[in-house]
Amino acid sequence: MESNLLERTVADVLSEALSTVDDELFVVNPTTETIDKLVDVMGDEGPTVRLLAGESVLKSVMDDFLVASRAADHVEAGRLEIRTYEEPTNTLLVTDSTVVSVVRADGRVAGLTTDDEAFIESAYARFSEAWDDADAFNLRTPAISRVESTLREGLGEPTADDFESVLASLETARGNGNGLDEVTISLLVAAKNEDLLYDISKWGEDVGIASKATFSRTKSRMEEMGLIDTEKVPIDVGRPRLRLKLGDDRLRDADAGQLASVAQSMLAA
């Protein structure tokens, strides 16, 4: 990046930085918004991004399944590495040949660069050393590509298509007691397609979304709130299994793109 970028979005500044780097890019002390946009603008090719961020910031942004699962895709592909860093500094984009400070003012964003070679060399050395000393951040969320492919293989095309449509309709996927998280969404689309609780919870545990116990507890809570119903399905050996169904006509009448908004309105009522 050879000159300042003025009156641009965070995504624009990050895209420009990624497009001009071949090897590695340190992203230092980003905000939650910057991490969100970074994960979004990263492509299949480009430099290795080494993210140094505060643990509380990382936990907050990665609590959103939409962000965390995309980040996990980049981590699994070797495009993104994440470590914790608690030293106060501006949000910086650092390579061995450039330093960019991401600055916000009056609702606008600028990427301010420097051509001072000594400063750039010092900054790169500082954050390379900080990286070596930093602890890795444990991202427990599975990669979205793996989530979607295993769901398609395990429960079929309709359930997987509905899952993707629901995610596409959301700006965030956080539970927080009232909203929709990955477990709630999984159970909703399973109920829409009348899948078995056993099948969706086994898939969720195997792929790393949540334990079977968490799926069972969430199912019970959703059933109490009228979002889903269950019916017993006899099997040859053992206890009957439960088939999931949507529990309200408003949900049954909604297509997959509307399912989340209807469910959220019911949760908020």
Side-chain angles (χ1 to χ4, degrees):
M1 194 180 297
E2 296 179 355
S3 60
N4 294 334
L5 295 177
L6 304 175
E7 300 184 17
R8 306 285 292 274
T9 66
V10 172
D12 288 332
V13 173
L14 293 169
S15 294
E16 182 73 13
L18 289 167
S19 69
T20 58
V21 179
D22 294 325
D23 297 322
E24 67 177 4
L25 171 68
F26 288 104
V27 179
V28 183
N29 198 31
T31 62
T32 56
E33 178 196 4
T34 301
I35 297 173
D36 185 354
K37 299 304 181 185
L38 173 67
V39 169
D40 195 41
V41 301
M42 287 180 64
D44 294 338
E45 299 180 356
T48 298
V49 175
R50 291 183 165 173
L51 179 60
L52 282 167
E55 186 172 11
S56 62
V57 172
L58 289 169
K59 286 182 176 179
S60 175
V61 70
M62 296 305 174
D63 188 50
D64 183 347
F65 178 75
L66 298 181
V67 179
S69 61
R70 296 198 311 268
D73 251 347
H74 295 310
V75 170
E76 287 194 1
R79 296 185 295 264
L80 176 65
E81 300 173 12
I82 308 173
R83 297 186 183 181
T84 58
Y85 180 74
E86 304 296 344
E87 295 296 323
T89 183
N90 294 334
T91 298
L92 301 174
L93 312 177
V94 180
T95 73
D96 60 358
S97 61
T98 185
V99 175
V100 179
S101 179
V102 181
V103 179
R104 296 167 176 78
D106 297 328
R108 295 179 290 186
V109 178
L112 305 181
T113 67
T114 179
D115 58 2
D116 186 315
E117 293 184 3
F119 180 83
I120 293 171
E121 182 178 347
S122 174
Y124 182 73
R126 173 188 172 187
F127 293 114
S128 294
E129 181 178 351
W131 178 263
D132 291 338
D133 294 338
D135 294 327
F137 178 76
N138 186 10
L139 182 58
R140 296 184 176 90
T141 306
I144 188 61
S145 58
R146 182 154 49 89
V147 168
E148 292 175 348
S149 64
T150 55
L151 184 59
R152 197 169 299 278
E153 293 168 3
L155 282 93
E157 298 284 339
T159 299
D161 288 343
D162 288 344
F163 184 86
E164 293 175 19
S165 295
V166 170
L167 289 185
S169 72
L170 292 170
E171 293 184 1
T172 183
R174 300 174 184 265
N176 296 337
N178 296 313
L180 301 182
D181 61 13
E182 56 269 37
V183 178
T184 313
I185 294 166
S186 301
L187 289 167
L188 272 176
V189 298
K192 182 177 184 297
N193 291 277
E194 299 191 357
D195 296 318
L196 297 180
L197 173 63
Y198 174 86
D199 291 339
I200 193 70
S201 60
K202 183 179 187 303
W203 161 80
E205 186 169 74
D206 289 347
V207 79
I209 283 182
S211 67
K212 289 180 182 178
T214 298
F215 271 86
S216 181
R217 287 193 300 270
T218 305
K219 182 274 299 180
S220 297
R221 179 173 61 85
M222 293 173 69
E223 198 169 12
E224 290 173 0
M225 300 181 73
L227 292 168
I228 61 176
D229 285 329
T230 57
E231 68 175 18
K232 292 182 179 180
V233 178
I235 57 176
D236 292 337
V237 178
R239 297 172 57 187
R241 290 183 176 167
L242 296 178
R243 186 176 304 282
L244 300 171
K245 294 187 173 184
L246 293 174
D248 190 282
D249 285 339
R250 289 169 290 178
L251 292 168
R252 287 188 284 268
D253 293 340
D255 60 30
Q258 302 167 326
L259 196 63
S261 62
V262 175
Q264 285 175 321
S265 68
M266 292 177 64
L267 287 170

